Amino acid sequence: MSIPAAAALLYAPDGYDTSRPRLMGRHAAGAGFLGGLIRHAGFDRLVALTRKPADATAFRAQVAELGAQVPVQTLADAEFPRLAETGCLMLPGPDLSSFAWQRRRMAPAHGFSLVGITHTIASASAMDSIAELLQSPVQPWDALVCTSSAVRAAVQRLWQGEGAWLARRLGATRIEGPALPVIPLGVDAEALAPDPAARAEWRQRLGLEPLDIAVLHHGRLSFHAKAHPLPMFLGLARAAAAAPAGARVVLILSGWFADATQRRAFTEMAKALAPDLTIRLVERPETNTTLRAAADVFTLLSDNIQESFGLAPVEALAAGLPVVGTDWDGLKDTVEHGVTGFRVPTLLAGPMDDLAARHDGGQDPYDHYIAGVAQFTAVDVGAAEAAFAALIGDAGLRARMSAAARARAVAVYDWAAVIGQYRTLWAELAKLRASGRGERGARLRGEDPVPRRPDPSGLFADYPTRRLAPETRLRLAPGLPDAAAAVARLKAIAAIPGGAARPDLMPGATAFAQMLAGLEAGPASAGTLVAALPPSAAARCFRALAWLVKVDVLRLEE
């Protein structure tokens, strides 16, 4: 049974495209969320806010490809207030602020919620977006979903620093951001289920023997932005040297190198640190690869602040693979130590305020910044070796952890469970909107809704000699005996290229004629000329009077 749509998506193809050459976690997460929404939300329609007509077309095409069986509705920017019909706008990142200001300008704050999500929070732009949530008109019924408890702690730490500054600088006494629920990314557990046929096919393609133990590392192959491979090469090579008789340990490196520097680094480190370890490289595997089926263990020894959740380990859990991961960011939540795999301890050095300063000042680009932090983040090589050795040497342990991994993924990380958490969140936010709880910083009568983007006719009021006011008296320009002659002149001027720089902002000829008719009997005030017009047209027509003066259809009556 379908239910009314409780959320709309902000949709642009970039956020949901997994076919791109440089695939990032946020792209896979976006596409996964859209698929999960289609399969498990139970909505009577799929709604998207799109900024361009081409995006609306792309949304319809993508949801059709994903098998959507319900109607599709797209809203343009001008229809922003109609988001109240669903109650929530889901954003693909942490930038709630710009949409909160847009809501303040165009729609009642209680009309709908804004819900963003964290991916990486290490970039300057992401940190700025998070900090700005303390100053923008977000409300108690808005939320920033944190994909892990570690990310939530980092967001709160950012807010503590920003809040302390606002309190000292401005005397602020109430500093509040949106809600910070922790909801993980999801996977399609059914699609990732262990597949014996795929296992046989891949192991044959990779030249693996029945007794071989394959350890898979899948994702971006980047020593500075994902996981430095040294702990993996050293730990796995040492564990492989002590493998049971007849068992060969094979490392499957699957993914993509950003450039030749990364390729050379992985190649040279493998030769230097693990010369006897058998390695199979599978570059740029197909989308939705079944390569996981070939493996017996998955590993990701992440040491990078660019990481915030770690989707690949959860996909591995769903495929029934024990995970050897680091005790780091989202892996702290996803890998149950000793149950579904092992978490290897990590060590973060400091201080590194000089790195933050260099990145903030533009001396270090983002990649250099995260590379610097990663350089001073250590992964316990001995613990990694012990984890690999335990799984390599004990088939029974691998089997128990495999079953536990699969069960946990189905129960906690399948999109059915994750979308269920979102449905609960949407319902909770809807209750807050309906509760009558006061709006933070409610707009006052006559106040600019967006202080940083005020009405230019007010902001620049000291530029002109005078401002057009309702009491400003106007008359027809010399040589124009009546309204018909005035309309003919303005039409002629409007037809000249550049005569009206923004004709889309002008009233129609009928409205002009109605206003100008009020001057046939003599001068009249601007307020009088628009008084008989519908309120929806009066403001547009009032300011158009200045254009009529500009093109000498009207003159000021001194």
Side-chain angles (χ1 to χ4, degrees):
M1 179 179 177
S2 63
I3 60 174
L9 292 178
L10 175 68
Y11 181 88
D14 174 71
Y16 302 86
D17 178 16
T18 58
S19 64
R20 54 193 304 117
R22 296 188 64 178
L23 182 64
M24 305 286 281
R26 66 181 180 87
H27 303 120
F33 182 85
L34 180 56
L37 196 71
I38 290 170
R39 294 191 302 277
H40 303 296
F43 291 163
D44 61 356
R45 68 194 191 283
L46 294 169
V47 185
L49 176 70
T50 54
R51 320 310 290 268
K52 298 183 293 187
D55 292 350
T57 301
F59 178 72
R60 294 177 183 277
Q62 186 167 7
V63 298
E65 184 180 347
L66 291 171
Q69 300 296 314
V70 295
V72 175
Q73 177 185 9
T74 57
L75 303 175
D77 259 348
E79 300 173 287
F80 188 76
R82 292 188 60 191
L83 290 166
E85 297 171 12
T86 60
C88 179
L89 175 63
M90 294 293 301
L91 306 170
D95 181 23
L96 280 70
S97 293
S98 61
F99 292 92
W101 286 116
Q102 186 176 1
R103 181 179 60 186
R104 184 176 171 86
R105 186 187 292 279
M106 298 179 67
H110 284 86
F112 56 90
S113 296
L114 300 169
V115 176
I117 188 170
T118 60
H119 292 295
T120 183
I121 63 168
S123 68
S125 60
M127 286 190 274
D128 286 347
S129 293
I130 291 168
E132 286 170 7
L133 294 176
L134 297 183
Q135 302 181 56
S136 61
V138 295
Q139 301 300 331
W141 45 87
D142 299 327
L144 176 63
V145 172
C146 299
T147 54
S148 69
S149 54
V151 164
R152 180 179 180 177
V155 169
Q156 291 172 324
R157 194 167 286 113
L158 266 176
W159 281 354
Q160 288 168 1
E162 185 76 7
W165 157 249
L166 292 173
R168 288 196 308 275
R169 180 70 174 87
L170 303 175
T173 57
R174 191 180 72 177
I175 300 171
E176 300 173 308
L180 292 177
V182 176
I183 302 177
L185 300 180
V187 296
D188 184 350
E190 181 179 355
L192 292 165
D195 184 341
R199 178 177 176 83
E201 177 188 349
W202 270 108
R203 287 179 75 91
Q204 182 179 21
R205 286 170 62 177
L206 295 171
L208 301 182
E209 300 296 332
L211 294 180
D212 288 348
I213 299 170
V215 178
L216 172 66
H217 173 101
H218 173 69
R220 279 186 296 152
L221 300 172
S222 173
F223 65 81
H224 80 284
K226 192 69 173 180
H228 199 287
L230 182 148
M232 176 179 66
F233 286 145
L234 279 180
L236 187 55
R238 291 170 182 173
R248 180 180 59 156
V249 176
V250 179
L251 172 62
I252 304 173
L253 279 179
S254 164
W256 45 96
F257 297 108
D259 51 39
T261 299
Q262 297 288 348
R263 181 189 300 277
R264 180 181 177 187
F266 271 73
T267 301
E268 294 300 322
M269 272 190 269
K271 289 179 181 178
L273 304 174
D276 298 324
L277 181 65
T278 302
I279 299 176
R280 298 285 189 267
L281 176 62
V282 182
E283 280 196 80
R284 300 194 176 278
E286 63 271 22
T287 302
N288 300 323
T289 181
T290 57
L291 174 60
R292 297 174 193 86
D296 302 286
V297 176
F298 180 88
T299 187
L300 174 62
L301 298 181
S302 181
D303 58 2
N304 204 282
I305 58 172
Q306 188 276 335
E307 185 75 86
S308 61
F309 178 73
L311 189 57
V314 178
E315 293 172 335
L317 294 175
L321 297 179
V323 173
V324 176
T326 35
D327 191 45
W328 182 261
D329 61 64
L331 280 76
K332 289 174 176 285
D333 294 346
T334 57
V335 180
E336 291 182 286
H337 185 71
V339 179
T340 63
F342 295 103
R343 294 203 309 270
V344 177
T346 54
L347 176 71
L348 179 64
M352 300 188 212
D353 56 323
D354 57 322
L355 301 187
R358 289 183 59 81
H359 178 45
D360 188 47
Q363 293 96 332
D364 286 349
Y366 177 61
D367 274 8
H368 289 194
Y369 169 60
I370 59 175
V373 179
Q375 179 167 283
F376 303 116
T377 302
V379 175
D380 189 326
V381 175
E385 177 186 350
F388 288 130
L391 287 164
I392 290 169
D394 190 339
L397 178 63
R398 292 199 302 274
R400 292 192 298 275
M401 286 190 166
S402 172
R406 172 70 183 163
R408 178 166 171 78
V410 170
V412 179
Y413 300 110
D414 184 70
W415 276 116
V418 173
I419 294 296
Q421 292 185 63
Y422 273 100
R423 287 183 57 172
T424 298
L425 173 63
W426 297 329
E428 291 172 348
L429 298 179
K431 287 181 181 178
L432 282 174
R433 294 197 307 273
S435 69
R437 181 171 179 176
E439 176 186 345
R440 295 172 184 161
R443 181 179 174 184
L444 302 176
R445 183 182 298 275
E447 180 183 42
D448 278 310
V450 185
R452 295 183 186 179
R453 301 291 185 273
D455 180 343
S457 68
L459 178 64
F460 301 107
D462 292 315
Y463 281 32
T465 306
R466 61 189 295 185
R467 293 181 66 189
L468 179 68
E471 59 272 17
T472 302
R473 292 182 62 77
L474 301 164
R475 60 182 172 85
L476 292 173
L480 297 177
D482 53 30
V487 169
R489 177 180 289 183
L490 71 88
K491 284 183 176 180
I493 292 171
I496 300 171
R502 289 289 306 278
D504 57 304
L505 300 179
M506 292 294 193
T510 301
F512 273 125
Q514 185 175 346
M515 287 192 296
L516 293 169
L519 295 170
E520 289 182 334
S525 70
T528 300
L529 294 178
V530 300
L533 296 173
S536 59
R540 177 180 286 247
C541 290
F542 179 82
R543 69 189 185 191
L545 292 171
W547 180 72
L548 295 179
V549 174
K550 184 184 188 77
V551 298
D552 202 32
V553 169
L554 298 183
R555 294 277 180 95
L556 295 175
E557 175 71 8
E558 299 296 342

